[in-house]
């Protein structure tokens, strides 16, 4: 998809003939209000080089802060991330006059706000220097215009430059060492080695190669006085005249590779304007032209194309630049996942549709990381896995691809092996100070409880939220296992995918709703003191990660019929969602991923107009054009992809073929699915207030289900024709969306019986793990006293078990045999 730069004139010409969608893109969108978007130059979708300014203050995630002085313009950035800064490496800073010490962390202020458009960035510094930037995939172009008669033009290269942060817990980056060489012809090469960042990476080395257009005299500096660590290195280049252009490439493999990237992509005669034109052409051809609408409102077009831009910046396509010698150079390789936990809900399902080639490469890449390093990534940057916030999200992405028929060059046996590793082998500890209980590097740290107990006790951090995520991950394994005909595995993982239910406390109430996910204490009992409106610190060391019990309680999207059953009626479920989504209650945080799907869940009770009402309200009140337009960290474009799905009128249930239907923004939208296939979504009667579906045709046929499947509209393309109006109408009278883990006829379940069963089972499992840990006679004696309790429990369970699987189908035959086996074992040990 990345056309060779030599062929580009053709690409530019052919794209100029088309519409220029880049005019609608606001690169400053989401840079403020905690959105943390990177506004600098990204010369092509997923390009490794992201060239922009770096603020000289601490903890600026993407490097951009409009009001701080600038410490340099660097080639490497993330975008839209929270956590802690990463990169800000391979930089230059223009200077005037003599510089005594280029390694003294110089910085310059702006004369006015930066000016940028897709592919182009301009900063006017208050000393009169104007910096203009453009880029290809692996190299950046710097054009400096110096004011006349204000001192000699110079450029500082400080190898120790990076985005700083004083955050605790090893989250900040540091400079380990560097080297640099200048050559008589004025070019320079070298490498810097850095440490840390949000993913807790060990030392990583980046190599660079820079060339100037003008003749320079250079002076290298070594700062031997740097007290606490290896020596800083850098150089000052000085020039005659007022105009200097430079171009710099980087590589994770070698300086030669950095020079090769540079010379292949930006030649001695390439101009800044050439690069800008090429960037625009690439973005138009590869991204924007795939989504076309007849809409004329430029505010809405701006939101559409700016959102598409924001979700095509990360991950970075580092194919050919993986320094791991076990990696085959020709295999596709992607880095900078920030993180798959953020991306699996909305972004990757949209990438599948818009970028099928890239999507296949991405899947091969994460499987390749498993093959060469042991686990698929969740977060990853500087070629190092880290960190896992919830479960092993790559499993969800692989399942989504598998069930939607993605095959190509993917080795699905290896893919399934990677998933099984996630599901069965807990990763070794990585001693993350923020989550000391288990590895946060990759995989599923809390597997020991999940496998042995079927729930996660507070022995593990983030226990309740991880349980919900693990259930979804296991459902992903079920999907792939059943597709591959591995029926035994499929049964195992389907059963495990239901274990989110083991955290369900039917008695916990909050704001009039009864029944919530709760943590399970170390002894296995359900926490009774939970405040469902609060997640405490909501972070690494807490019971819930970044979302409240209210939010996680509706997150088992593969088993929603069970949740509705727990609620007892459609109305109770509807009330639960109303309370969750009512802005007054401040419960659903749409600036974070766990609530992405919640406004659409009314579809599961055929109250689709409420999904439309709530999701549209969120889209229109929490998102807006401009720097402050995102409700939270973009999270590598996750927020933008949520908004795009809202515009399209569908919501993907990752890991299932189901797309929930809501209501499209535009009267005519066409998505190019490749190979001549399109999804064409039209609507009549729509307006700002007429947003409700009155009727729908799918592929020309009247449609009364509030969902479509992959095969309906994506596999071979399709049409969806909406009639919209101002009234909420009960048009969705057809089959409910599938709830694939809630199979079996659930009517007639006696939930009291079921609860006795489940509690008995948990209780026994805990006694058993206590027994395994008995260290002395005292403990054994105390344990013996519970013999009677055990006998009682067994009797209780026996009493409540009528032996009729049909009556209590949620209690599986496996559960039944486990109960009798464990009871026997426990009683045996005590004899
Ligand atoms: C931004 O830069 C472009 C290209 O140099 C220029 O045409 C435009 O006038 C500038 N806009 C502002 C607001 O400075
Ligand atoms: C750079 O210096 C060389 C040798 O002095 C000269 O031939 C060349 O024209 C100069 N180039 C520029 C751009 O000034
Ligand atoms: C364009 O859409 C925006 C957002 O819905 C709206 O506020 C604005 O009034 C529309 N502009 C025109 C000219 O209709
Ligand atoms: C990723 O990069 C490689 C090497 O530059 C290129 O061959 C491939 O086409 C790129 N992938 C996409 C989807 O552009
Ligand atoms: C729910 O509350 C009832 C009445 O207080 C109690 O008997 C039952 O054991 C509780 N159930 C659970 C699962 O805590
Ligand atoms: C488990 O621990 C909690 C508090 O730590 C206690 O209230 C409860 O009674 C214990 N339950 C059992 C079954 O031991
Ligand atoms: C529950 O948490 C919320 C939010 O932190 C707080 O406002 C409320 O007072 C808490 N309720 C109780 C009963 O502690
Ligand atoms: C459910 O089972 C319990 C005992 O296990 C019994 O007391 C109750 O009456 C049953 N409820 C119904 C509706 O059958």
């Amino acid at each position: 998809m990345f056309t060779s730069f030599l062929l580009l004139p053709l690409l530019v010409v052919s794209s100029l003939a088309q519409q220029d969608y880049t005019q609608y893109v606001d690169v400053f969108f989401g840079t403020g209000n905690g959105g943390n978007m990177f506004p600098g130059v990204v010369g092509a979708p997923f390009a490794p080089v992201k060239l922009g300014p770096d603020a000289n203050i601490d903890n600026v995630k993407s490097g951009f802060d409009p009001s701080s002085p600038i410490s340099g313009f660097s080639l490497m950035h993330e975008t839209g991330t929270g956590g802690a800064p990463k990169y800000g490496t391979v930089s230059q800073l223009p200077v005037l006059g003599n510089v005594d010490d280029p390694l003294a962390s110089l910085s310059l202020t702006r004369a006015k706000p930066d000016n940028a458009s897709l592919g182009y960035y301009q900063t006017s510094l208050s000393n009169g220097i104007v910096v203009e930037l453009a880029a290809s995939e692996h190299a950046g172009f710097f054009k400096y215009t110096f004011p006349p008669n204000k001192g000699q033009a110079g450029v500082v290269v400080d190898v120790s430059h990076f985005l700083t942060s004083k955050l605790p817990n090893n989250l900040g980056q540091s400079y380990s060492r560097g080297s640099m060489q200048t050559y008589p012809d004025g070019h320079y090469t070298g490498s810097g080695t850095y440490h840390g960042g949000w993913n807790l990476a060990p030392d990583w080395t980046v190599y660079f190669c820079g060339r100037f257009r003008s003749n320079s005299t250079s002076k290298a500096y070594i700062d031997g006085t740097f007290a606490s660590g290896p020596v800083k290195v850098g150089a000052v280049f000085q020039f005659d005249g007022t105009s200097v252009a430079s171009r710099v490439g980087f590589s994770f493999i070698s300086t030669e590779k950095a020079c090769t990237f540079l010379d292949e992509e930006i030649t001695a005669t390439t101009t800044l304007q050439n690069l800008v034109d090429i960037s625009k052409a690439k973005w138009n051809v590869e991204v924007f032209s795939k989504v076309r609408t007849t809409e004329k409102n430029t505010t809405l077009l701006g939101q559409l194309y700016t959102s598409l831009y924001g979700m095509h910046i990360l991950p970075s396509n580092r194919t050919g630049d993986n320094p791991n010698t076990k990696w085959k150079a020709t295999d596709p390789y992607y880095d900078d996942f920030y993180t798959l936990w953020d991306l699996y809900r909305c972004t990757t399902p949209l990438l599948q549709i818009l970028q099928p080639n890239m999507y296949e490469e991405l899947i091969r890449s994460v499987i390749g990381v498993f093959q060469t390093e042991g686990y698929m990534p969740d977060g990853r940057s500087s070629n190092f896995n880290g960190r896992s916030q919830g479960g092993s999200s790559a499993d969800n992405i692989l399942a989504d691809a598998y069930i939607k028929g993605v095959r190509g060059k993917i080795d699905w046996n290896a893919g399934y092996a990677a998933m099984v590793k996630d599901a069965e082998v807990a990763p070794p500890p990585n001693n993350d100070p923020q989550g000391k209980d288990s590895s946060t590097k990759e995989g599923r740290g809390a597997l020991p409880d999940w496998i042995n107990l079927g729930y996660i006790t507070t022995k593990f951090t983030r226990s309740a939220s991880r349980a919900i995520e693990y259930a979804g991950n296991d459902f992903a394994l079920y999907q792939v296992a059943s597709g591959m005909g591995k029926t035994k595995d499929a049964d195992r993982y389907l059963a495990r995918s239901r274990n989110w239910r083991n955290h369900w406390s039917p008695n916990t109430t909050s704001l009039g709703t009864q029944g919530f996910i709760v943590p399970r204490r170390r002894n296995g009992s359900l926490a009774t003191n939970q405040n469902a409106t609060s997640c405490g610190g909501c972070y690494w060391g807490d019971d819930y990660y970044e979302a409240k019990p209210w939010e996680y309680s509706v997150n088992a999207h593969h088993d929603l019929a069970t949740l509705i059953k727990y609620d007892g009626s459609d109305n109770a479920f509807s009330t639960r969602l109303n309370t969750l989504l009512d802005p007054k209650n401040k419960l659903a945080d749409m600036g974070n991923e766990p609530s992405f799907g919640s406004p659409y869940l009314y579809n599961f009770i055929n109250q689709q107009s409420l999904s439309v009402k709530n999701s549209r309200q969120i889209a229109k009140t929490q998102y807006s054009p401009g720097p402050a337009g995102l409700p939270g960290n973009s999270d590598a474009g996750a927020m933008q992809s949520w908004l795009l799905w809202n515009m399209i009128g569908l919501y993907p249930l990752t890991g299932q073929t189901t797309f929930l239907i809501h209501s499209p923004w535009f009267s005519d939208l066409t998505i190019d699915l490749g190979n001549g296939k399109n999804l064409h979504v039209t609507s009549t009667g729509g307006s700002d207030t007429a947003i409700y579906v009155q009727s729908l045709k799918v592929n020309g046929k009247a449609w009364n289900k509030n969902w479509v499947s992959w095969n309906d509209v994506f596999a071979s393309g399709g049409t969806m024709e909406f009639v919209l109006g101002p009234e909420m109408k009960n048009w969705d009278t057809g089959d409910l969306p599938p709830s694939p883990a809630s199979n079996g006829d659930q009517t007639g379940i006696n939930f009291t019986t079921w609860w006795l069963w489940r509690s008995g089972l948990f209780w026994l499992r805990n006694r058993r793990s206590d027994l395994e840990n008995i260290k002395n006679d005292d403990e054994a004696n105390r344990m013996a006293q519970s013999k009677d309790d055990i006998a009682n429990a067994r009797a209780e369970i026996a009493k409540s078990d009528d032996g009729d699987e049909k009556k209590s189908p949620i209690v599986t035959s496996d559960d039944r045999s486990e109960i009798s086996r464990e009871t026997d074992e426990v009683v045996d040990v005590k004899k």
Side-chain angles (χ1 to χ4, degrees):
M1 157 169 148
F2 280 71
T3 320
S4 146
F5 267 77
L6 298 175
L7 294 176
L8 276 164
L10 201 64
L11 180 66
V12 174
V13 170
S14 71
S15 124
L16 287 180
Q18 297 192 357
Q19 201 177 338
D20 179 18
Y21 302 95
T22 68
Q23 63 181 303
Y24 303 117
V25 174
D26 174 10
V27 297
F28 291 105
F29 172 72
T31 52
N33 194 33
N36 294 350
M37 287 300 291
F38 168 73
V41 178
V42 186
F46 312 113
V49 164
K50 306 180 212 299
L51 173 57
D54 290 325
N56 80 333
I57 53 169
D58 253 18
N59 212 16
V60 181
K61 311 295 190 302
S62 68
F64 176 74
D65 181 73
S67 51
S68 303
I70 293 171
S71 59
F73 296 84
S74 67
L75 255 56
M76 301 178 67
H77 291 96
E78 308 280 4
T79 189
T81 58
K86 183 85 189 182
Y87 299 143
T89 36
V90 190
S91 72
Q92 290 190 346
L93 184 73
V95 290
L96 278 173
N98 279 332
V99 175
D100 292 337
D101 181 3
L103 305 177
S105 303
L106 306 173
S107 64
L108 298 167
T109 55
R110 288 176 172 87
K112 57 178 185 183
D114 296 346
N115 168 9
S117 52
L118 186 147
Y120 173 79
Y121 201 92
Q122 186 195 71
T123 300
S124 299
L125 297 166
S126 42
N127 62 7
I129 303 173
V130 176
V131 181
E132 292 170 280
L133 307 172
S136 64
E137 277 98 335
H138 302 91
F141 189 99
F142 305 68
K143 184 176 167 193
Y144 303 112
T145 308
F146 294 87
N149 311 320
K150 290 271 177 66
Q152 192 173 14
V155 169
V156 165
V157 174
D158 176 355
V159 179
S160 75
H161 184 274
F162 59 88
L163 290 173
T164 62
S165 157
K166 292 196 181 65
L167 288 171
N169 300 318
N170 307 336
L171 291 173
Q173 300 190 99
S174 59
Y175 169 74
S176 296
R177 60 190 172 274
S179 69
M180 184 166 168
Q181 189 164 6
T182 59
Y183 299 85
D185 71 351
H187 93 281
Y188 65 91
T189 60
S191 70
T193 300
Y194 314 88
H195 190 93
W198 186 77
N199 66 326
L200 308 179
D203 275 5
W204 47 278
T205 298
V206 60
Y207 301 86
F208 51 82
C209 173
R211 300 187 194 281
F212 294 99
R213 284 278 160 81
S214 334
N215 285 337
S216 63
T217 53
S218 66
K219 191 166 174 210
Y221 285 79
I222 295 183
D223 176 8
T225 62
F226 190 64
S228 63
V231 165
K232 291 170 101 176
V233 295
V236 183
F237 298 84
Q238 291 194 306
F239 308 87
D240 295 332
T242 58
S243 177
V244 172
S246 88
R247 50 196 170 108
V248 183
F250 85 83
S251 160
F252 275 98
I253 291 181
S254 65
T255 54
E256 291 75 25
K257 183 99 190 166
C259 291
T260 306
F261 277 144
L262 172 62
D263 295 332
E264 279 178 4
E265 297 180 6
I266 306 182
T267 70
T269 56
T270 311
T271 66
L272 183 111
Q273 194 57 47
N274 289 155
L275 290 168
V276 173
D277 290 345
I278 291 166
S279 295
K280 287 185 169 171
K282 287 193 168 208
W283 279 93
N284 277 328
V285 170
E286 293 168 12
V287 177
F288 304 135
S289 62
K290 295 190 172 176
V291 182
R292 298 183 301 273
T293 172
T294 55
E295 180 63 53
K296 294 283 179 284
N297 181 320
T298 51
T299 307
L300 299 176
L301 291 172
Q303 284 191 287
L304 172 63
Y305 291 105
T306 300
S307 298
L308 282 167
Y309 176 73
M311 63 162 284
H312 282 81
I313 297 175
L314 293 178
S316 301
N317 179 0
R318 295 246 186 80
T319 303
D321 202 25
N322 184 338
N324 186 332
T325 49
K326 286 191 239 161
W327 194 276
K328 238 171 80 201
T330 48
D331 280 353
Y333 175 58
Y334 286 76
D335 193 15
D336 298 331
F337 294 113
Y338 226 116
T339 66
L340 297 184
W341 181 80
D342 298 279
L343 300 179
Y344 80 78
R345 296 169 179 83
C346 289
T347 311
T348 48
L350 195 49
L351 286 175
Q352 183 191 5
I353 287 159
L354 299 175
Q355 308 297 343
N357 295 334
M358 178 271 179
Y359 186 67
E360 187 187 321
E361 291 181 358
L362 182 145
I363 306 267
R364 289 173 64 196
S365 174
V366 296
I367 296 172
V369 170
F370 155 73
Q371 290 172 313
T372 52
E373 299 178 22
Y375 282 95
M376 294 190 285
D378 204 275
R380 183 179 176 88
S381 56
S382 65
N383 308 303
F384 187 78
N385 279 357
R387 306 193 268 166
S388 291
Q389 299 156 99
S392 41
S393 313
D395 300 341
N396 305 357
I397 296 170
L398 262 62
D400 205 41
Y402 187 86
I403 56 167
K404 291 172 182 171
V406 178
R407 297 294 181 269
K409 289 193 187 149
I410 297 170
D411 176 351
W412 275 109
N413 288 322
Y416 185 65
M419 296 173 78
V420 170
K421 177 95 178 270
D422 280 341
E424 302 295 345
V425 186
N430 69 336
N431 306 314
D432 181 345
Q434 287 184 290
K436 288 193 180 129
D437 51 283
S438 58
S439 176
T440 61
K441 182 176 186 289
E442 54 208 356
R444 302 194 219 166
L447 267 187
D449 270 10
W450 186 246
I451 293 179
N452 296 332
L453 302 172
Y455 53 84
I456 301 175
T457 65
T458 48
K459 182 175 145 198
F460 292 96
T461 58
R462 314 188 299 294
S463 60
S465 53
R466 280 203 266 182
I468 309 297
E469 300 268 349
Y470 287 15
N473 302 152
D474 282 336
F475 179 73
L477 272 103
Y478 157 73
Q479 290 284 59
V480 178
S482 44
M484 295 177 107
K486 299 175 192 291
T487 46
K488 214 168 143 239
D489 281 19
D491 289 349
R492 171 174 173 80
Y493 293 118
L494 182 61
R496 274 174 48 167
S497 84
R498 297 180 176 124
N499 282 346
W500 71 274
R501 300 171 185 171
N502 297 341
H503 280 261
W504 192 256
S505 164
N507 285 358
T508 301
T509 58
S510 173
L511 304 177
T513 285
Q514 187 169 346
F516 286 92
I517 295 297
V518 297
R520 298 195 71 118
R521 299 188 184 102
R522 280 164 194 255
N523 66 12
S525 67
L526 293 163
T528 49
N529 58 346
Q530 167 172 284
N531 178 349
T533 67
S534 161
C535 44
C538 315
Y539 215 35
W540 293 90
D542 299 295
D543 295 331
Y544 294 85
Y545 185 80
E546 290 194 357
K548 304 166 191 78
W550 262 96
E551 299 177 275
Y552 275 110
S553 290
V554 300
N555 247 300
H557 292 169
H558 56 293
D559 195 14
L560 276 167
T562 298
L563 174 59
I564 294 161
K565 211 59 155 187
Y566 287 174
D567 274 337
S569 70
D570 288 359
N571 276 344
F573 182 68
S574 189
T575 302
R576 175 189 291 277
L577 294 179
N578 293 343
T579 308
L580 170 64
L581 297 166
D582 185 340
K584 282 203 306 288
N585 295 331
K586 294 194 166 64
L587 292 173
D589 172 9
M590 295 311 295
N592 229 325
E593 287 72 12
S595 274
F596 271 9
S598 304
Y600 302 108
L601 299 182
Y602 295 94
N603 285 33
F604 282 86
I605 46 174
N606 273 357
Q607 296 185 10
Q608 190 264 0
S609 54
L610 284 169
S611 295
V612 173
K613 177 171 186 249
N614 283 284
S615 67
R616 186 67 72 94
Q617 182 183 359
I618 290 161
K620 292 291 180 179
T621 58
Q622 303 213 18
Y623 290 79
S624 60
L630 283 173
N633 302 154
S634 150
D635 291 331
M639 295 289 144
Q640 284 92 330
S641 15
W642 185 90
L643 189 67
L644 285 163
W645 283 112
N646 195 264
M647 293 179 189
I648 295 167
L650 293 173
Y651 186 82
L653 292 176
T654 302
Q656 304 180 44
T657 53
T658 306
F659 294 80
L660 304 177
I661 295 168
H662 43 104
S663 162
W665 285 27
F666 303 114
S667 58
D668 194 312
L669 183 89
T670 303
I671 301 179
D672 180 348
L673 305 169
N675 299 322
K677 294 176 290 188
N678 290 301
L679 170 63
H680 191 194
V681 181
T682 60
S683 64
T684 56
S687 74
D688 280 354
T689 48
I691 57 173
Y692 299 106
V693 179
Q694 309 296 301
S695 68
L696 170 65
K697 282 184 184 168
V698 174
N699 299 327
K701 285 196 299 239
W703 198 264
N704 63 3
K705 290 189 298 188
N706 60 33
W707 55 283
V708 287
S709 74
W710 174 260
N711 281 337
D712 291 327
V713 294
F714 288 111
S716 332
T719 60
M720 300 183 73
E721 299 163 74
F722 288 84
V723 175
L724 302 178
E727 268 139 48
M728 297 173 81
K729 200 179 154 186
N730 261 352
W731 67 277
D732 50 333
T733 53
D735 291 348
L736 293 171
S739 180
S742 322
N743 59 356
D745 176 10
Q746 298 213 16
T747 54
I749 291 178
N750 180 333
F751 274 87
T752 310
T753 307
W754 181 73
W755 262 104
L756 274 169
W757 262 94
R758 298 305 290 187
S759 352
L761 182 59
F762 298 146
W763 192 77
L764 283 164
R765 284 179 184 169
N766 269 293
R767 293 287 75 72
R768 182 195 165 106
S769 75
D770 287 349
L771 284 170
E772 281 162 4
N773 290 328
I774 284 179
K775 289 189 194 67
N776 53 45
D777 287 353
D778 256 13
E779 285 176 8
N781 283 338
R782 249 184 293 131
M783 194 58 76
Q785 290 166 11
S786 57
K787 214 168 147 182
D788 287 349
D789 298 344
I790 295 164
N792 287 342
R794 190 181 193 176
E796 195 61 30
I797 293 161
K799 218 165 56 191
S800 67
D801 179 16
D802 52 15
D804 182 352
E805 287 231 9
K806 284 214 183 67
K807 269 198 187 157
S808 23
I810 298 179
V811 182
T812 64
S813 48
D814 276 359
D815 288 344
R816 272 166 217 277
S817 49
E818 185 179 346
I819 286 175
S820 51
R821 183 167 41 81
E822 300 225 356
T823 318
D824 288 347
E825 280 176 23
V826 171
V827 174
D828 267 2
V829 175
K830 290 296 104 212
K831 272 184 197 147

